[in-house]
Amino acid sequence: MGSREASLHLRCEDRGTLLPKLKTLLDDPSFWREETEDLLGLLGQVFEQQVPQLDETKQRAGKALLDNLRTGLDDWEQREDPAIVVVQPHFVSLYWYDHIRSENLEEQAWNFGRRCRVPVLGVCRFDICDLQLCGVRNAGCPEAVTCRGDYYFNEHDIQPVDAGELCRILEAPFLQEGVAAALACSDGEGMAQMLEKALKMPIYLNERMLSAEGKRPTECWRKTLVYVET
């Protein structure tokens, strides 16, 4: 049921403060490769534990396999889609295929909220019909608050989130009317359309979609394209 049509929307009235923090994170391979590096490290530890039981041929094969995995990771990172940052009034939106997805939406909202010290909205769409939302404020602090809503219309499994609570967490009362109207929809497609209207941004974007609209990045970071909406 996983989906990669997801995004994070970082609450921001001062882009001059937020964008440098975001650039530092997205330019740092240790941040966005953390999960993969942990897995490679674990595989390396298991291999080292088995070395005494392996003959020389198997030791060489094991080392070659780990080297190939790391080389393959480096090659894949060169080919993967860049992260997309869209700067708009009240929010800076982040889209990054495969890095932000249903399985880690709350975790990534928490991570970016903690590092950037701003409230964060996470939104994910499943096969047009199903939606997941989460909000976080003061991530990493004792006074942290979160909320989540799951709208799985295909499975008739609705765990709603209160629009007022979500907008309070995001410190965005101006969104409440539009978000409440969206969450009152009885189908996922209508909810997604109304939510995008309230946010004034789509749930998912990539470079090709923006290019098709004739838009060009105003900045290019290490693996990120930045677009400024006025």
Side-chain angles (χ1 to χ4, degrees), residues 139-192:
C141 301
E143 59 272 24
V145 287
T146 64
C147 65
R148 171 175 172 164
D150 296 312
Y151 296 84
Y152 302 146
F153 292 96
N154 277 337
E155 301 175 12
H156 306 288
D157 181 10
I158 309 297
Q159 303 294 327
V161 64
D162 181 74
E165 179 187 11
L166 177 62
C167 293
R168 282 192 296 273
I169 287 175
L170 298 176
E171 298 177 351
F174 53 87
L175 287 182
Q176 184 166 341
E177 183 177 353
V179 170
L183 297 182
C185 288
S186 58
D187 68 282
E189 188 171 3
M191 183 181 290

Side-chain angles (χ1 to χ4, degrees), residues 75-182:
D75 291 343
W76 170 74
E77 285 172 353
Q78 294 301 316
R79 296 192 302 271
E80 71 170 340
D81 288 348
I84 300 295
V85 168
V86 179
V87 181
Q88 56 176 328
H90 310 304
F91 285 92
V92 171
S93 299
L94 174 61
Y95 304 86
W96 202 358
Y97 183 80
D98 205 39
H99 288 268
I100 301 170
R101 55 188 188 275
S102 59
E103 299 90 340
N104 69 1
L105 187 67
E106 288 182 285
E107 178 185 356
Q108 291 287 42
W110 183 275
N111 285 341
F112 280 92
R114 179 173 61 86
R115 300 290 189 96
C116 296
R117 297 298 183 190
V118 294
V120 179
L121 168 67
V123 188
C124 180
R125 176 172 53 207
F126 303 78
D127 301 325
I128 301 177
C129 297
D130 297 333
L131 287 169
Q132 175 185 340
L133 299 92
C134 66
V136 59
R137 186 178 75 235
N138 296 325
C141 301
E143 59 272 24
V145 287
T146 64
C147 65
R148 171 175 172 164
D150 296 312
Y151 296 84
Y152 302 146
F153 292 96
N154 277 337
E155 301 175 12
H156 306 288
D157 181 10
I158 309 297
Q159 303 294 327
V161 64
D162 181 74
E165 179 187 11
L166 177 62
C167 293
R168 282 192 296 273
I169 287 175
L170 298 176
E171 298 177 351
F174 53 87
L175 287 182
Q176 184 166 341
E177 183 177 353
V179 170

Side-chain angles (χ1 to χ4, degrees), residues 8 36 41 63 110 156:
L8 299 178
T36 309
K63 290 178 181 178
W110 183 275
H156 306 288

Side-chain angles (χ1 to χ4, degrees), residues 10-16 18-19 88-92 118-119:
L10 286 66
R11 180 75 172 91
C12 171
E13 296 293 343
D14 182 8
R15 68 181 65 170
L18 177 58
L19 287 180
Q88 56 176 328
H90 310 304
F91 285 92
V92 171
V118 294

